[in-house]
Amino acid sequence: MSLEQQRYTHQYLLNNEWKDSESGDVVEIKSPDDNASVGSVPAMSQNEVDAAVESASDVQENWASKDGHVRSELLHRWAEELEKMTDEIGMSIHKEVGKTLSSAKSEVKRTAELIRHTAEEGLRTHGSFIQGDAFPGASRSTKAMVQKVPHGVVLAIAPFNYPVNLAASKIAPALITGNTVVFKPATQGAISGILMVEALVKAGLPKGVLNIVTGRGSVIGDFVVTHPKIDMITFTGGTGTGKNIAKKASMIPVVLELGGKDPAIVLEDADLDLSAKEIVGGAFSYSGQRCTAIKRVMATTAVADELTEKIKELVNNMKVGKSTEGADIIPMIDQKSADYVTSLVEDAVNKGATVVTSGEHQDNLLSPVVLDHVTEDMRVAWEEQFGPVLPIMRVENELEAIDLEKRNEYGLQASIFTKNLENAFTIADRLNVGTVQVNGKTSRGPDHFPFLGVKNSGQGVQGIGRSIDSMLRDKVLVLNL
Ligand code: G3H
């Protein structure tokens, strides 16, 4: 059977054994392209999830006691095995989350690089040594050795839009630092996540160091998040779910990467060809289903008409179709998400937004919509669309743009397009976001840069080095000589 025809029936991993749920219950996964069944994963019970957490907890001390280079070597082998599976995993990403095959394979390659970099960076973690006499009344003979130790069992929850990359970006830093992992893939994306773990098993994963849990959020979601033997949670996904996790997971560290409403601020002196190209790439890749997609343009009135024309031309050249056709704009992950995005567009049009580009919508396949003259009373000015829609808001000057952005409930990234770097720095200083891009689209990579959101966009910091830091805590040993 060719990879294209393959239908996947996958099992979960416990102590390196692949298992079905005892109930035989499964969750079906449907292709965003045509709603056909791609395969299924076990719908685990709470008891089965409990066994996964207990096993990860049982072996954690032993895993943490291994030499750092042993853990690093495992990650290097994992990257190698993953690369060997690029075609197979690429195909499953393509089928279950509807990415084009080439971008699905790029995700696998990017992930192998991320794991390798983590394997290296993790070797360089170290603690510190503090003399007591710096504090009045304390003596030089009191000395603190500050060690870096793992939290214990890390619950890693990945989203559908990067089912492999955003899973490994949590799992690799957790493993290199001596944590064990309970991995919960997004349901849509679970098959690819499981295949990625198959590569880790081939690389020599010791028993129990990573276990997988799959199933219905309503049955196992809160159960695993509140499990007493989970010591840290790292999650990427929607803001609502992230806030719920933060509330429920009391007294343990939680790293969250959530939604965004990233603006592109285009000033009078911007290079408009560059701005239009970056904005369209930033807004529409993977049909806008990225937390870091550009989700609103704030164009200064002096350049708004010309910029809109350039954006229109680029968008009209994009191919709309199935991911199997290698289209630029592909079906959204499901009908519910498409309906939500459509409701935002309808609201804006009813309130007077100008439709710059539009086209046929068929089920969850939406043609790219560019809306001009979007105003503050429209929902799309504030709500995250997570789909192929780009609202353009016109502002008199940068002060108006800063004011608009300050009222944004999200704070992931922002782009500023200008030739005046001094001005860019001044504006960047005033924006309450995790990252400001100057003359480039909003985006997470390169993967070793710090990556964070403020306000409703998240808490904690990721990016290889910072993710490693987030998986460790201080442990202080005081010598009283
Ligand atoms: O969807 C959230 C991702 O972290 C965005 O990553 O900027 O590489 O597409 P990306």
Side-chain angles (χ1 to χ4, degrees), residues 225-367:
V225 162
T226 55
H227 195 291
K229 291 203 175 160
I230 292 292
D231 301 301
M232 189 263 181
I233 301 177
T234 169
F235 167 83
T236 298
T239 295
T241 312
K243 281 184 159 179
N244 186 41
I245 289 174
K247 229 180 268 166
K248 298 224 156 101
S250 61
M251 302 296 284
I252 59 169
V254 177
V255 171
L256 302 171
E257 183 205 340
L258 309 176
K261 187 75 184 172
D262 295 358
I265 300 170
V266 186
L267 302 183
E268 285 178 30
D269 64 346
D271 174 336
L272 294 187
D273 287 316
L274 172 83
S275 310
K277 183 172 147 272
E278 291 292 306
I279 287 170
V280 170
F284 292 105
S285 77
Y286 190 41
S287 286
Q289 299 176 112
R290 297 163 50 242
C291 57
T292 49
I294 287 179
K295 300 208 175 86
R296 53 181 183 169
V297 175
M298 298 175 191
T300 40
T301 36
V303 294
D305 285 343
E306 199 182 338
L307 176 72
T308 304
E309 247 341 278
K310 288 180 188 293
I311 289 175
K312 178 180 177 180
E313 208 180 311
L314 292 172
V315 172
N316 280 338
N317 280 333
M318 288 194 301
K319 187 175 164 195
V320 181
K322 307 270 181 198
S323 68
T324 45
E325 299 158 358
D328 303 305
I329 299 292
I330 43 87
M332 289 184 62
I333 192 72
D334 56 31
Q335 191 61 46
K336 193 170 155 221
S337 313
D339 290 345
Y340 174 70
V341 170
T342 306
S343 79
L344 293 181
V345 173
E346 283 169 0
D347 171 76
V349 172
N350 289 338
K351 289 175 181 161
T354 313
V355 179
V356 178
T357 71
S358 155
E360 291 213 347
H361 294 342
Q362 203 189 350
D363 302 324
N364 57 335
L365 175 58
L366 308 188
S367 291

Side-chain angles (χ1 to χ4, degrees), residues 110 159 161-162 165-166 236 257-258 285 289-293 386 412-413 442-445 447 451:
R110 175 180 178 180
N161 62 350
Y162 284 97
N165 185 269
L166 282 175
T236 298
E257 183 205 340
L258 309 176
S285 77
Q289 299 176 112
R290 297 163 50 242
C291 57
T292 49
F386 224 73
L412 191 56
Q413 298 204 349
T442 45
S443 101
R444 170 168 49 116
D447 291 339
F451 178 55

Side-chain angles (χ1 to χ4, degrees), residues 367-394:
S367 291
V369 180
V370 177
L371 298 169
D372 195 5
H373 299 285
V374 167
T375 49
E376 290 188 30
D377 56 326
M378 300 173 189
R379 289 169 54 206
V380 77
W382 306 103
E383 291 178 37
E384 184 184 26
Q385 60 266 40
F386 224 73
V389 173
L390 181 63
I392 301 176
M393 304 179 80
R394 292 170 175 237

